[in-house]
Amino acid sequence: MRGVVLTGPGDVRVEERADPRIIEPTDAIIRVTAACVCGSDLWPYRGVDKSAGPAPMGHEYVGVVEETGADVRNVKAGDFVVGSFFASDNTCEICRAGYQSRCVHAVPIGAIGTQAEYARIPLADGTLVATPGPPDADLVPSLLTASDVLGTGWFAAVAAAAGPGRTVAVVGDGAVGLLGVLAAREMGAERIVMFSRHADRQKLAIDFGATDVIADRGDAGVAALKDLLGGLGAHGVIEAVGTHESMMQAIRSTRPGGHVGYVGVSHDVELPGNELFFAAVHLHGGPAPVRRFLPELIDLIWSRRIDPGRVFDLVLPLEEAAEAYRAMDERRAVKSLLRP
Amino acid sequence: MRGVVLTGPGDVRVEERADPRIIEPTDAIIRVTAACVCGSDLWPYRGVDKSAGPAPMGHEYVGVVEETGADVRNVKAGDFVVGSFFASDNTCEICRAGYQSRCVHAVPIGAIGTQAEYARIPLADGTLVATPGPPDADLVPSLLTASDVLGTGWFAAVAAAAGPGRTVAVVGDGAVGLLGVLAAREMGAERIVMFSRHADRQKLAIDFGATDVIADRGDAGVAALKDLLGGLGAHGVIEAVGTHESMMQAIRSTRPGGHVGYVGVSHDVELPGNELFFAAVHLHGGPAPVRRFLPELIDLIWSRRIDPGRVFDLVLPLEEAAEAYRAMDERRAVKSLLRP
């Protein structure tokens, strides 16, 4: 089969890779209908994360089940499925508490690589959720977002305690931050403030429910936010970047007793204990337990209540994966969808 | 009046200080019935926190109202009162959300110094809570704990999401950690694990409700805890020390999705973002909003349901404050009470 391989910084190739096959009786093989490039894929692409050698890429996916292992019960050949970027058994104590991304048997899908024609999904029963039927073509991009960026933005909004009467600010105007706006709106947040200096992303944020936009960042952004909110920080802040600067901006943008939901994969972050102590905020985040939210998100998409697929502003055939990465790296695209 | 002054590291003196007087119409003057030495007082005592010059000491107190400013409504001369270690208006948006220690008008009582015969309490209406009447003498130590260490341990247990069916671990066997055990028990925690290597503190922890004791600390303590709990960390962990080591022990002792309640005043803490991200815990803490809990804590003490005053194992007249500090510094005492 054809699949994306990162051979070194900036060097994305589509190569022949071995067809996946059932290894464990809990596996399923899916034919990938759509995959995409994640902001987190840019870390190894840019050489910030070192990889040991050529690596298959991709951890977001929707597709059709081709084959299932002997123990798989919940999905069957022909089902259209959405899965999260960590495989999980969905039965262990951690999964049952809603933290499937930290399942005691978790398998990172990124090590498998879904930017490909086919993929082996471990722990299929606990990982995959079938849609009510074959989706209309225009729903596919939205369903694909549920696999990671929507589920991650949703988790961030939950962690930021978004809800009625609350003001939520969002640090990071990539797909996750934008869908954090959408999630906060769905949860009934009264005011949603997007930090962004890019006109196209500002516009999408407003379409998704942002009520205010602040172009400043860092401490200037914090000051602008507090001006806007009468001196206090937001009740909740979504952090969707993962740098030290963005984490500190998120913490400083939150009022005492407020909630920071951080989902940007952490790089170069060292939180100063003394400042954190007196900030008196709630801090919660990490790899989003997307599986917790999948049934609800699929419902919202299926009923066309939300349209998160709008974050895809570039659609390319799998063979043009290199351009999909380049466009995101150069910020010409918010998010690139790949069709195998 | 007589009052404690720290003139330099290790140098605690009881000196003549000016009698406090009403400055703002929202002030009250109290005659201090009992004060005490806090673990956090040991930081400047040991010279870890530098102070600019001779400093009045003490932020925990119970006493009798002597005089009130013209605007004070909620307490009157003769009332026996308990107050928190931050004065707060208890009316601002932050106070109403339960974060009185970060009130927009907060005043640290430590800058006033309650290890003295009298003290001026700012924002008396928002800060002081009167007991139902003059307390029996044996209740005074317990009421004094409500001013800080009990309220702080209580907040930590709330932040650690202590409750029925939950396992809570406690890092730090000082008065706050010990009262964190008591708080977790009152909240219905099923299993309470105390990290302690001191026989007297282990015993008190067990009396307060600890079900297990682990003498190891750091990563060895984390490993021992996970052995005890079948491989997973605790649902909630109370951190009551404030060092980098203790914070990391607390985070690593918590299962994914669990809650760390940290109340040890932060020193030398730098949280590594990447580890924190994949830990997927909730982190909440800071200076405890003791005022939020005071009415409930006074009720529990008044009805003799809880006996937190047992953390005081040394009682001295104010004039012997130097020995009160020394005994805690040398770990001969868990907590020293001072009687002016």
Side-chain angles (χ1 to χ4, degrees):
Chain A
M1 69 166 187
R2 303 290 288 172
V4 171
V5 176
L6 183 72
T7 55
D11 191 4
V12 167
R13 301 181 191 181
V14 180
E15 297 184 347
E16 274 301 311
R17 288 172 45 201
D19 286 339
R21 56 186 185 78
I22 300 287
I23 299 174
E24 302 288 340
T26 46
D27 290 345
I29 305 297
I30 64 166
R31 179 165 46 80
V32 177
T33 304
C36 49
V37 181
C38 184
S40 68
D41 292 332
L42 297 181
W43 294 108
Y45 179 78
R46 289 169 176 162
V48 179
D49 288 354
K50 307 295 176 200
S51 59
M57 295 293 291
H59 52 265
E60 302 161 283
Y61 56 99
V62 291
V64 177
V65 176
E66 287 275 312
E67 186 188 353
T68 56
D71 293 350
V72 175
R73 297 285 173 272
N74 298 345
V75 295
K76 61 183 186 307
D79 282 353
F80 190 92
V81 291
V82 188
S84 97
F85 61 93
F86 269 103
S88 56
D89 62 25
N90 212 25
T91 58
C92 76
E93 220 176 311
I94 302 299
C95 282
R96 291 202 312 273
Y99 286 86
Q100 292 91 338
S101 51
R102 290 300 316 280
C103 169
V104 299
H105 299 116
V107 182
I109 299 291
I112 289 166
T114 57
Q115 293 163 3
E117 289 180 280
Y118 295 91
R120 180 179 70 89
I121 306 299
L123 302 169
D125 272 348
T127 305
L128 298 173
V129 178
T131 57
D136 293 341
D138 68 317
L139 289 184
V140 169
S142 287
L143 291 167
L144 177 59
T145 65
S147 181
D148 180 352
V149 284
L150 174 60
T152 295
W154 201 270
F155 171 60
V158 168
R166 301 207 156 235
T167 295
V168 175
V170 180
V171 180
D173 62 1
V176 171
L178 290 164
L179 293 174
V181 169
L182 180 153
R185 184 200 64 194
E186 285 301 309
M187 294 171 199
E190 182 172 302
R191 196 164 184 180
I192 303 171
V193 185
M194 185 70 178
F195 290 104
S196 174
R197 50 180 62 188
H198 298 89
D200 54 336
R201 294 163 190 241
Q202 292 177 347
K203 183 178 177 310
L204 195 48
I206 289 167
D207 289 352
F208 280 157
T211 54
D212 303 86
V213 171
I214 292 176
D216 298 305
R217 61 169 66 178
D219 286 346
V222 174
L225 180 74
K226 290 187 175 175
D227 276 353
L228 192 68
L229 303 181
L232 297 175
H235 295 100
V237 177
I238 291 172
E239 191 285 332
V241 183
T243 63
H244 185 76
E245 186 191 8
S246 64
M247 275 296 277
M248 296 315 298
Q249 183 179 339
I251 291 167
R252 291 171 183 163
S253 294
T254 309
R255 64 178 60 191
H259 292 72
V260 179
Y262 60 102
V263 292
V265 180
S266 187
H267 286 78
D268 83 346
V269 176
E270 289 280 336
L271 298 182
N274 196 57
E275 177 169 350
L276 191 63
F277 186 81
F278 287 100
V281 298
H282 298 76
L283 211 57
H284 183 45
V290 166
R291 179 63 184 82
R292 190 203 306 177
F293 307 110
L294 271 184
E296 177 183 4
L297 298 180
I298 290 172
D299 278 354
L300 289 170
I301 293 164
W302 203 260
S303 64
R304 298 181 182 272
R305 177 170 168 89
I306 61 174
D307 189 9
R310 291 184 62 198
V311 293
F312 292 109
D313 50 359
L314 182 63
V315 177
L316 292 170
L318 179 67
E319 293 295 328
E320 292 176 36
E323 167 59 11
Y325 276 76
R326 249 192 325 266
M328 283 178 63
D329 181 44
E330 295 168 2
R331 296 182 75 89
R332 285 185 282 115
V334 173
K335 196 164 175 73
S336 310
L337 185 147
L338 292 172
R339 293 200 178 276
Chain B
M1 69 166 186
R2 304 290 287 172
V4 170
V5 176
L6 182 72
T7 56
D11 191 4
V12 166
R13 300 181 191 181
V14 180
E15 297 185 345
E16 275 301 312
R17 287 173 43 201
D19 286 339
R21 56 184 185 78
I22 300 287
I23 299 174
E24 303 288 339
T26 47
D27 289 346
I29 305 297
I30 65 166
R31 179 166 44 80
V32 177
T33 304
C36 49
V37 181
C38 184
S40 68
D41 292 334
L42 297 182
W43 294 109
Y45 180 78
R46 290 169 176 163
V48 179
D49 288 353
K50 308 294 177 199
S51 58
M57 294 294 289
H59 53 263
E60 301 161 285
Y61 57 98
V62 292
V64 177
V65 176
E66 287 277 312
E67 186 187 354
T68 55
D71 293 349
V72 175
R73 297 285 173 271
N74 298 346
V75 296
K76 60 183 187 304
D79 283 352
F80 190 93
V81 291
V82 188
S84 95
F85 61 95
F86 269 103
S88 56
D89 62 25
N90 211 27
T91 58
C92 77
E93 219 176 314
I94 302 300
C95 282
R96 292 202 313 273
Y99 286 85
Q100 291 92 338
S101 51
R102 290 298 317 278
C103 169
V104 298
H105 298 117
V107 182
I109 299 292
I112 289 166
T114 58
Q115 292 163 4
E117 290 181 280
Y118 296 91
R120 180 179 70 88
I121 307 298
L123 302 169
D125 273 347
T127 305
L128 298 173
V129 178
T131 58
D136 293 342
D138 68 318
L139 289 184
V140 169
S142 286
L143 291 167
L144 177 59
T145 65
S147 181
D148 180 353
V149 284
L150 174 60
T152 296
W154 201 271
F155 171 60
V158 169
R166 301 209 155 234
T167 296
V168 175
V170 180
V171 179
D173 62 2
V176 171
L178 290 163
L179 293 174
V181 170
L182 181 151
R185 183 199 65 193
E186 285 301 310
M187 294 171 199
E190 182 173 301
R191 196 163 184 181
I192 303 171
V193 184
M194 185 71 177
F195 289 104
S196 175
R197 50 181 61 186
H198 298 90
D200 54 336
R201 294 164 190 240
Q202 292 175 348
K203 182 178 177 312
L204 195 49
I206 289 166
D207 288 354
F208 280 155
T211 54
D212 302 87
V213 171
I214 292 176
D216 298 305
R217 62 169 66 179
D219 286 345
V222 174
L225 179 74
K226 290 188 175 177
D227 276 354
L228 193 68
L229 303 182
L232 297 176
H235 295 100
V237 177
I238 290 172
E239 191 285 332
V241 183
T243 63
H244 185 77
E245 186 191 8
S246 64
M247 275 296 277
M248 295 316 298
Q249 182 178 339
I251 291 168
R252 291 171 183 163
S253 294
T254 309
R255 66 179 58 193
H259 291 72
V260 179
Y262 61 101
V263 291
V265 180
S266 187
H267 286 76
D268 83 346
V269 177
E270 290 280 335
L271 298 183
N274 195 57
E275 178 169 349
L276 191 64
F277 186 81
F278 287 100
V281 298
H282 298 76
L283 211 58
H284 183 46
V290 166
R291 179 64 183 81
R292 189 203 308 178
F293 308 109
L294 271 183
E296 177 183 6
L297 298 179
I298 290 171
D299 277 355
L300 289 169
I301 293 164
W302 204 260
S303 64
R304 297 181 185 272
R305 175 167 170 92
I306 61 174
D307 190 9
R310 291 183 61 199
V311 294
F312 292 110
D313 50 0
L314 181 64
V315 177
L316 292 170
L318 180 67
E319 292 296 327
E320 293 177 36
E323 168 59 11
Y325 276 76
R326 248 190 328 267
M328 282 179 62
D329 180 44
E330 296 167 2
R331 296 183 74 90
R332 287 185 282 115
V334 173
K335 195 164 176 73
S336 309
L337 184 147
L338 292 170
R339 291 197 178 279

